[in-house]
Amino acid sequence: MSDARRRRVWLEGYSLTTAEILYHLPDYPHLLQTFIWQQHDLFPQLPELRKFLAFWQSRLDGPLHSVKVMHCRLLKPAELRAVSGDFLLH
């Protein structure tokens, strides 16, 4: 993705979204396979992921088992800030 497109996507509110997709193998339905999907998407609507999953269900043979979505608004590291001053406890 070009820098100009990346900046435009970020300004529109899109950020990196990752989905772990488990699906049944068409020839061996008792086995599950993993597919990792990663795209810039708009949280919480996730229009790009929904479009991809609709394509999967209409065009691909492996039926979906589950989809786990990871996004920075769902989970992110704690925010720390510096505190000025010392505190003494007895």
Side-chain angles (χ1 to χ4, degrees):
M1 180 182 295
S2 70
D3 287 339
R5 175 158 164 66
R6 185 176 292 124
R7 281 190 293 268
R8 184 175 60 85
V9 164
W10 286 341
L11 287 174
E12 292 174 358
Y14 283 73
S15 56
L16 191 62
T17 304
T18 304
E20 179 186 27
I21 300 168
L22 289 177
Y23 64 96
H24 296 275
L25 292 175
D27 295 335
Y28 302 97
H30 59 283
L31 293 178
L32 292 174
Q33 181 73 27
T34 302
F35 179 81
I36 302 297
W37 177 90
Q38 200 169 48
Q39 183 82 19
H40 284 91
D41 209 349
L42 185 60
F43 185 81
Q45 296 86 8
L46 303 170
E48 300 296 326
L49 177 59
R50 290 177 187 272
K51 187 167 101 176
F52 176 76
L53 292 175
F55 165 79
W56 184 298
Q57 290 178 323
S58 68
R59 304 281 175 102
L60 300 179
D61 291 334
L64 294 175
H65 176 271
S66 61
V67 178
K68 186 186 331 180
V69 178
M70 281 98 19
H71 188 276
C72 68
R73 289 193 185 167
L74 293 172
L75 177 66
K76 64 181 175 179
E79 295 178 13
L80 301 176
R81 60 186 176 105
V83 176
S84 60
D86 294 329
F87 299 96
L88 298 174
L89 298 175
H90 296 283

